[in-house]
Amino acid sequence: MLQIRVKPGIEDRIRGFFPWVYRAEIASYSRKPKKGELVVVRDFGGKFLGYGYINPEVSIAVRILSFDKTKPVTPDLIKERIKQAYEYRKKLYINSNAYRLVHSEGDLLPGLIVDVYGEYAVLELTTYGMSQFKDVIVESLVEILNPKGIYEKLNTTAEKVEGLKVKEGPLYGSVPDEVVIWEHDLKFLINIPEGQKTGFFLDQRNARRFVRSLVEPGDSCLDVFTHTGGFALNMKKMGAGRVVAVDISQLALEVGKENEKLNGLSGIEWVCANAFDFLKELDKKGEKFDVVVIDPPSFAKNRHSVPNALRGYKELCVRGLKLTKPGGYMAIFSCSFHITEQHLLEVLTSASYDVKRQVRVIAKTFQDKDHPWILQMPNTLYLKGIWVEVV
Ligand SMILES: C[S@@+](CC[C@H](N)C(=O)[O-])C[C@H]1O[C@@H](n2cnc3c(N)ncnc32)[C@H](O)[C@@H]1O
């Protein structure tokens, strides 16, 4: 098997269970590496650090799957990890038939995402190395879940960065275009082939439940970046009066309208617009809401885009705070690991000075527990939200 040695000083981080080796950190190769092949990682002196796979063409060249000398990466190890991921999910009380079964590094399976939507599973490979195990992954999912179908979705970042070629479509059985799942007491239509990500933002499940505790019957609520109505439907379900849901994707809003009907709800105002422009308009009109939720897409795909992203978050916070009634609530989320909780708090503080409102933090939420993160790998904590009362 290919062997690599890392530069002096890198070994401590790897021994601390950080599973990435950057290309610039590799001191030597036992021979010319091939894209996707398995590799033994050693320290500069030759001591074992871990087993993983390599893509010499990308910056994160090696992803380690095993830090145990007695457990090399084999199809059986992949199977065992998927089984462990499933056993963990079985113990969770998530109150839904849709969940993330495999969360990449969070399940010690870097490069693999599997989401389950009722009787169907959706697979997303994010690295070339993990794509080498596609057959055994599908075999395991069939064994564990006995699903009606498994669908593979393309991850555009993996295509661009890792050169991973994926033809979207079923890998096993058949998968209908639309699947209805349930979360708490709501139903959601999932459009697997056309939807964003694998079809639904499962990671916000706990936040969608939390918003219920803030909504009083008759409240006016604003769901910014609603996608298919995630927060808006929960607000309406709690008896909110006016609910405005805005997103730039007409397709997502059409699904949102279907979701509203599916749940016997009515009256949500679905608005297709750029959220930044729409919030400005609402503010100009002097509109106010009891509960405002702002859940934007990732603005910071890498660390270079952080300053620009922070300007975007600041603008959203200023607008959101202005649109919140005294005594009302606002939430702001970031789903980029480059934007930390501290960043969000700083942006919020700065926005509160601008709008001259006192703000009380009432809660923080993170990606739900079927998206576990590795303490030693901060990169795996990507979704955080700050909930405030605008005094
Ligand atoms: C993280 S998702 C929101 C998930 C949603 N809150 C839920 O619970 O399902 C972000 C959404 O922002 C939308 N979006 C992206 N850019 C936008 C923009 N400039 N204005 C409005 N919506 C936008 C995307 O279409 C996507 O639906």
Side-chain angles (χ1 to χ4, degrees), residues 196 200-201 204 208 223 225-228 230-231 246-249 252 273-276 295-297 335:
Q196 298 180 34
F200 195 53
F201 293 89
Q204 283 286 38
R208 286 189 287 263
D223 180 6
F225 305 98
T226 187
H227 190 231
T228 56
F231 288 98
V246 58
D247 202 281
I248 206 161
S249 158
N274 181 330
F276 288 88
D295 183 18
C335 59

Side-chain angles (χ1 to χ4, degrees), residues 247-265:
D247 202 281
I248 206 161
S249 158
Q250 188 61 48
L251 177 75
L253 292 174
E254 291 308 320
V255 177
K257 287 177 199 169
E258 289 297 314
N259 285 337
E260 188 179 15
K261 277 191 230 147
L262 204 58
N263 289 287
L265 300 169

Side-chain angles (χ1 to χ4, degrees), residues 103 203-204 206 365-373 380-384:
H103 185 50
D203 48 10
Q204 283 286 38
N206 54 346
T365 49
F366 302 95
Q367 60 214 49
D368 209 354
K369 47 193 184 283
D370 50 339
H371 297 60
W373 74 82
T380 52
L381 170 57
Y382 66 99
L383 177 61
K384 42 254 159 212

Side-chain angles (χ1 to χ4, degrees), residues 51-68:
Y51 294 109
Y53 58 72
I54 189 164
N55 183 349
E57 293 168 15
V58 298
S59 153
I60 306 166
V62 175
R63 310 231 182 189
I64 296 175
L65 283 87
S66 168
F67 297 96
D68 182 344

